[in-house]
Amino acid sequence: MKNTNLKLAIQKNGRLTEDAVNFLRSAGLQFENYKQKLFSSCRNFPLEIVYVRDDDIPDYVESGAVDLGIVGQNILNESNKDVKNIMNLNFGICSLSIAIPENSDVKVVKQLINARIFTSYPNSTKKYFKKKNIPVNIIVVSGSVEITPALGIADAIVDLVATGRTLALNDLRIIEKIYDSQAILITGSKNNLSEEKQILMQKLINRFKKVLSGISSLPVEKLII
Ligand code: ATP
Ligand code: ZN
């Protein structure tokens, strides 16, 4: 990995991976198959793409270990890192929502007073219920949150929802949305980039903007690598 190159972190293996790779390729960046690698060097731009767990991306960006990252807005909302959103990327669209069992008597959030709420997003959940002045018991689990109502341990869950299919499969329904989320491009708030790197970053951002506005000037054959 060349240190003078820009570094961009994306999720190694998850819901954002394929869309992030496609997005970068549609901006004309050429790089090898990412699946077995920890990083790829772009062939046609001084950029290293680094593959990591999505939860680690804000830390790496904040500390300057990488210059840029692609991550769900939800991860930032939950972790409060000192990074800034350069642009929304229009994929990874989902929402953090409160869901209850299909057959629950609860109709409005207020009725969740003292409820047991399972989530992987304790900070966002705490903040939401505090603002609404509703005391609840928040229990943190790292995954498969949707199963907890069926196990009889949760009255409600707070989880990311995209299509709602997983909720429906688990006999759950949404009663409230806490926030919307999508993939975003982030950079450190206090990064001290060299002038060369700043120029490179601006070039890259300009390309990304073109892709997003649908006026990428790149020839089509470059889009399919
Ligand atoms: P990692 O192993 O990298 O920690 P993960 O299991 O935490 O992965 P994924 O489930 O792959 O994360 O989700 C990555 C991101 O995809 C989420 O943080 C969110 O921004 C976005 N996303 C979009 N739709 C959904 C959905 N239905 N459920 C969960 N995440 C979604
Ligand atoms: Zn994660």
Side-chain angles (χ1 to χ4, degrees), residues 10-17 52-57 71-75 91-95 121 142 146 159-164 166 181-183:
I10 66 170
Q11 190 184 23
K12 180 168 172 53
N13 186 11
R15 291 175 203 257
L16 296 182
T17 308
V52 294
R53 283 200 60 190
D54 64 348
D55 314 69
D56 296 331
I57 292 175
V71 72
Q73 173 77 53
N74 51 292
I75 302 265
F91 60 82
I93 290 172
C94 58
S95 69
Y121 286 80
S142 58
E146 318 84 25
D159 204 7
L160 294 175
V161 184
T163 58
T166 311
S181 181
Q182 63 174 288

Side-chain angles (χ1 to χ4, degrees), residues 2-159:
K2 249 200 187 162
N3 249 338
T4 49
N5 285 358
L6 272 183
K7 295 191 196 79
L8 163 71
I10 66 170
Q11 190 184 23
K12 180 168 172 53
N13 186 11
R15 291 175 203 257
L16 296 182
T17 308
E18 198 184 336
D19 283 346
V21 165
N22 288 341
F23 177 77
L24 297 174
R25 287 187 168 157
S26 65
L29 297 168
Q30 299 177 348
F31 51 98
E32 281 168 49
N33 185 359
Y34 53 93
K35 283 199 173 113
Q36 308 86 28
K37 308 191 81 180
L38 299 176
F39 73 93
S40 311
S41 307
C42 287
R43 281 192 289 273
N44 58 346
F45 197 81
L47 175 75
E48 310 286 347
I49 300 165
V50 185
Y51 307 104
V52 294
R53 283 200 60 190
D54 64 348
D55 314 69
D56 296 331
I57 292 175
D59 271 331
Y60 290 154
V61 170
E62 186 184 44
S63 70
V66 297
D67 308 302
L68 294 159
I70 292 179
V71 72
Q73 173 77 53
N74 51 292
I75 302 265
L76 281 195
N77 291 0
E78 181 64 19
S79 71
N80 238 333
K81 295 283 176 213
D82 197 7
V83 297
K84 61 177 183 232
N85 178 354
I86 301 176
M87 63 176 90
N88 293 342
L89 298 175
N90 216 8
F91 60 82
I93 290 172
C94 58
S95 69
L96 188 72
S97 293
I98 308 170
I100 54 170
E102 200 67 73
N103 60 5
S104 168
D105 294 333
V106 170
K107 293 208 164 47
V108 287
V109 173
K110 252 199 227 149
Q111 290 171 274
L112 288 176
I113 192 159
N114 296 329
R116 299 160 303 169
I117 301 186
F118 277 62
T119 187
S120 309
Y121 286 80
N123 297 330
S124 306
T125 304
K126 210 179 292 170
K127 197 168 154 193
Y128 173 85
F129 282 101
K130 196 166 173 217
K131 199 168 150 211
K132 294 267 169 184
N133 241 325
I134 304 167
V136 291
N137 302 305
I138 297 167
I139 302 112
V140 187
V141 279
S142 58
S144 302
V145 181
E146 318 84 25
I147 194 70
T148 57
L151 294 175
I153 52 178
D155 302 306
I157 63 167
V158 169
D159 204 7

Side-chain angles (χ1 to χ4, degrees), residues 156-176:
I157 63 167
V158 169
D159 204 7
L160 294 175
V161 184
T163 58
R165 216 172 38 216
T166 311
L167 287 187
L169 279 172
N170 288 288
D171 294 325
L172 298 168
R173 66 184 157 89
I174 294 177
I175 48 164
E176 186 91 340

